[in-house]
Amino acid sequence: MHLTTETISEFELTLAGEGRTTGRARHHWLVRPRASIGSERDRGRLEGAYAHKPDTRYTTLRIDGTLQGTWYKNQSDYYLTSDSIEGDLKTRWTASPTGDLAGELRAWGSFLNYATPSELEADRRDLNAGAYLKAGRDALRRWRAGVRLGRRAYPDTTAINRQSAGVELEYDHNAFLGATGRVYHRSERRKIKNPAIRPSSWSYWTQADASLPLNESGLRLTADLGHEAWHYDHEWGAYTDQTRWESDVSLEGGGFSGPSWQMGPALEMLDSNTDGESYRQLGARGGMDHFGDRFTGTLTLEIGQRDYDETETVVGPGDVEEYSLYTDFTYVELWLMLGIDLTGDLRLDVMASYLPENHTEDTDDQTLGFGTARLVYRF
């Protein structure tokens, strides 16, 4: 196995601003421009939002949009250097927001254009719409159920254009200072224009989490469970059925007047019809969070082992050979985010990650790392 490691150093100067409506009003506006000049590329971003609150309290109409572009320098070290422009627009209208039952209509779309499209950088267009029933502001329990329709088009590769239809269900129980729980599920059918190029499929996503207080000092037990599954009409090549599970249980404490902490086991499993791809992963995860007036920080550390439970069989002229497509490994995942107010107008933001893998085959060992520091001056 060959491993290519790419290291890029880039210096950026960023200027950003924000304008918004303050106080209680029927019409709320937000405009947030941002421009960055870098040694490798230049970037620009414009965010905007509008909210209509007939009684100055509850939102009946909300519109959000973003537009951003990236322009690479001629001698950029980035591997993919096509200039691009992308944007999205989301609209949500809520009927009877203050009753026990409310209705909601959503529409959203997006586009992505590359100056020089390629197999890895393809232009696309998305249009989606959804209709929902949900709990109103006065309901005791929070829930939402609805249907959604969508279409994605690739102007340069129309054979993989797709249409989608799905259902969404969500329930949220949040008792003040008591037990809390949330369940979300989405099922979706994707119909590909030319199934000979890419097969149509069914997909399912489920996320559940719960929290149980253990004492009055803030000690609590939390649990999260995630499930994702893909089932194709016809399996071939890279399109094979897969089911993925994620789960973690944590003991958490603190957070009222100081840092909070959490620690516990984390489990991840993948069952795939591709030989050699299924695995089981078990780790121990811990972390600390602090959100203060002048300092905020998050530190997460996970150490564990991933084991692949299959081998791939290759049949050659007169022989049969079994080999592992992937090799077992131990891993470390370290994530750090810090924000420090150096003065009243100057702030330092730091983000870093470190992810080494130690495989049973030394040639498969790899280490991924990322770090960024940003100095922000507000005026």
Side-chain angles (χ1 to χ4, degrees):
M1 176 180 291
H2 299 280
L3 176 64
T4 301
T5 301
E6 184 179 20
T7 302
I8 297 176
S9 298
E10 181 179 12
F11 295 93
E12 253 186 4
L13 175 64
T14 300
L15 180 65
E18 181 178 286
R20 64 166 64 232
T21 304
T22 59
R24 293 178 60 175
R26 292 185 177 182
H27 304 280
H28 284 255
W29 295 91
L30 169 67
V31 178
R32 187 180 291 139
R34 180 188 181 97
S36 300
I37 300 175
S39 57
E40 298 283 331
R41 57 187 174 173
D42 299 331
R43 293 184 292 173
R45 180 180 176 89
L46 178 64
E47 298 179 54
Y50 167 76
H52 182 221
K53 301 181 179 184
D55 59 358
T56 72
R57 297 176 60 201
Y58 299 124
T59 300
T60 58
L61 175 65
R62 182 175 177 88
I63 302 173
D64 296 89
T66 61
L67 181 67
Q68 60 185 13
T70 302
W71 300 271
Y72 291 89
K73 303 298 176 65
N74 292 333
Q75 303 300 322
S76 174
D77 291 331
Y78 280 95
Y79 173 62
L80 299 173
T81 56
S82 175
D83 296 344
S84 63
I85 297 178
E86 61 182 308
D88 64 76
L89 185 65
K90 303 175 183 178
T91 303
R92 183 182 66 193
W93 177 72
T94 303
S96 185
T98 58
D100 291 336
L101 182 65
E104 185 175 273
L105 295 177
R106 295 187 182 187
W108 61 101
S110 64
F111 74 91
L112 175 58
N113 285 342
Y114 288 98
T116 54
S118 65
E119 290 185 0
L120 298 178
E121 297 174 312
D123 294 352
R124 69 170 185 264
R125 309 285 186 270
D126 284 287
L127 289 174
N128 300 272
Y132 302 86
L133 284 176
K134 66 176 187 177
R137 295 280 183 175
D138 299 335
L140 298 178
R141 297 289 182 265
R142 318 305 301 172
W143 58 270
R144 180 169 63 96
V147 297
R148 50 188 291 170
L149 301 173
R151 183 178 186 273
R152 170 170 288 188
Y154 296 90
D156 299 320
T157 317
T158 59
I160 60 174
N161 288 355
R162 74 181 188 219
Q163 295 180 341
S164 61
V167 297
E168 282 186 278
L169 304 171
E170 183 177 10
Y171 176 78
D172 190 351
H173 173 78
N174 192 348
F176 182 68
L177 296 180
T180 64
R182 177 181 177 271
V183 178
Y184 171 82
H185 175 78
R186 176 158 65 98
S187 297
E188 184 177 85
R189 170 64 174 172
R190 291 184 178 180
K191 186 69 174 178
I192 307 299
K193 181 178 180 180
N194 186 350
I197 303 298
R198 181 179 296 180
S200 301
S201 64
W202 287 92
S203 55
Y204 311 91
W205 296 269
T206 303
Q207 184 69 41
D209 56 73
S211 177
L212 177 65
L214 299 180
N215 58 28
E216 296 181 356
S217 63
L219 190 66
R220 53 197 176 273
L221 183 67
T222 65
D224 297 278
L225 177 65
H227 170 262
E228 179 181 346
W230 290 85
H231 298 292
Y232 294 93
D233 292 1
H234 305 284
E235 294 184 79
W236 49 268
Y239 306 105
T240 57
D241 293 353
Q242 289 188 345
T243 301
R244 183 170 176 265
W245 294 87
E246 283 185 314
S247 178
D248 65 79
V249 178
S250 297
L251 191 64
E252 300 182 357
F256 288 108
S257 58
S260 62
W261 57 268
Q262 57 275 335
M263 58 184 300
L267 175 67
E268 183 177 327
M269 299 184 297
L270 175 68
D271 291 322
S272 173
N273 283 357
T274 299
D275 289 342
E277 198 172 54
S278 298
Y279 65 81
R280 303 292 183 271
Q281 177 176 302
L282 179 62
R285 181 184 301 165
M288 296 188 66
D289 301 290
H290 178 72
F291 300 95
D293 294 333
R294 297 179 58 87
F295 170 78
T296 61
T298 298
L299 175 65
T300 304
L301 174 65
E302 182 177 339
I303 302 174
Q305 168 81 25
R306 176 180 293 188
D307 296 315
Y308 290 90
D309 55 12
E310 294 179 355
T311 58
E312 185 171 4
T313 301
V314 177
V315 180
D319 64 350
V320 176
E321 180 183 359
E322 289 189 351
Y323 74 99
S324 297
L325 184 63
Y326 303 99
T327 57
D328 301 343
F329 62 87
T330 58
Y331 67 90
V332 175
E333 293 186 3
L334 178 64
W335 297 91
L336 174 67
M337 289 186 291
L338 295 176
I340 306 171
D341 287 335
L342 303 178
T343 66
D345 300 321
L346 193 62
R347 182 177 178 84
L348 175 65
D349 293 322
V350 176
M351 181 183 298
S353 65
Y354 177 63
L355 300 89
E357 296 179 1
N358 184 19
H359 288 251
T360 54
E361 295 289 340
D362 294 341
T363 55
D364 292 342
D365 290 352
Q366 63 175 322
T367 299
L368 301 177
F370 169 80
T372 179
R374 185 178 66 168
L375 197 61
V376 180
Y377 178 73
R378 300 182 179 91
F379 58 89

